[in-house]
Amino acid sequence: RKRVFELVGVLRRQMIWRLTCLLSGDGRSNSNSQGQQEVMKKQQQIRAIIQSILLPSPSPIQAVIVPGNEKCISLTNRLRLHGFDVYPIRSPTVPKGMERIRIILHTHNTEREVFGLVNMLFESMKDDWSNYFVAKGGGRLPHSRL
């Protein structure tokens, strides 16, 4: 059981790290007070976007928001073709626009599998997540950070 919760931490840290890299651009900051305010505002935006994509859960059942039934099903099928046992949770089961992929971690999963899952999610959704972030008020995203 401890191993599963370690994998939950690995999954969440990898998702947060990839989203932070995606959203933070080149990472340069300005040393003046206006630049620091911009950095703090950007960090708040990053936290809000992470919370809107990766649903909070301390359990081995995790969920990543993939808006739209078709996109959710398509990404789930792609992940399943690569050996990941994930499930689409679609509307009307969840509210429209909050469709998600359910990920269940087990003791037999490895960190390498978790890294592969996160990489596949980001590679598959980079353009769609960029559009989703803009629609959610997250601003423009640098496409080179995925």
Side-chain angles (χ1 to χ4, degrees):
R1 182 176 170 125
K2 181 181 175 185
R3 173 75 180 136
V4 172
F5 287 100
E6 288 172 359
L7 289 174
V8 169
V10 169
L11 174 75
R12 296 190 70 79
R13 283 189 301 275
Q14 281 297 303
M15 289 291 295
I16 290 167
W17 178 78
R18 292 292 301 265
L19 284 165
T20 301
C21 288
L22 175 69
L23 296 167
S24 64
D26 64 8
R28 286 186 240 157
S29 63
N30 202 334
S31 61
N32 65 36
S33 62
Q34 183 179 10
Q36 290 173 349
Q37 288 174 351
E38 289 175 19
V39 169
M40 288 175 59
K41 182 178 178 184
K42 185 72 148 177
Q43 289 173 341
Q44 289 173 342
Q45 289 175 333
I46 289 170
R47 277 193 287 280
I49 291 170
I50 288 170
Q51 290 172 354
S52 71
I53 299 295
L54 182 62
L55 297 180
S57 173
S59 84
I61 301 171
Q62 299 290 304
V64 176
I65 299 293
V66 181
N69 281 343
E70 295 81 22
K71 288 179 184 178
C72 188
I73 292 168
S74 175
L75 180 54
T76 300
N77 288 339
R78 181 171 181 194
L79 292 169
R80 291 179 73 83
L81 283 173
H82 285 86
F84 298 107
D85 193 16
V86 295
Y87 303 92
I89 309 298
R90 307 171 307 229
S91 67
T93 304
V94 296
K96 190 173 183 169
M98 294 298 291
E99 294 81 4
R100 59 200 69 178
I101 293 178
R102 186 177 70 177
I103 302 164
I104 304 173
L105 298 170
H106 302 276
T107 56
H108 62 80
N109 293 124
T110 65
E111 284 188 23
R112 186 176 183 172
E113 290 171 330
V114 172
F115 292 149
L117 174 62
V118 171
N119 288 335
M120 180 70 66
L121 277 168
F122 274 81
E123 192 56 39
S124 299
M125 291 297 294
K126 62 184 172 188
D127 294 329
D128 290 327
W129 274 349
S130 293
N131 294 332
Y132 178 62
F133 291 142
V134 172
K136 293 287 250 181
R140 293 263 172 230
L141 300 181
H143 293 285
S144 62
R145 297 302 252 166
L146 285 176

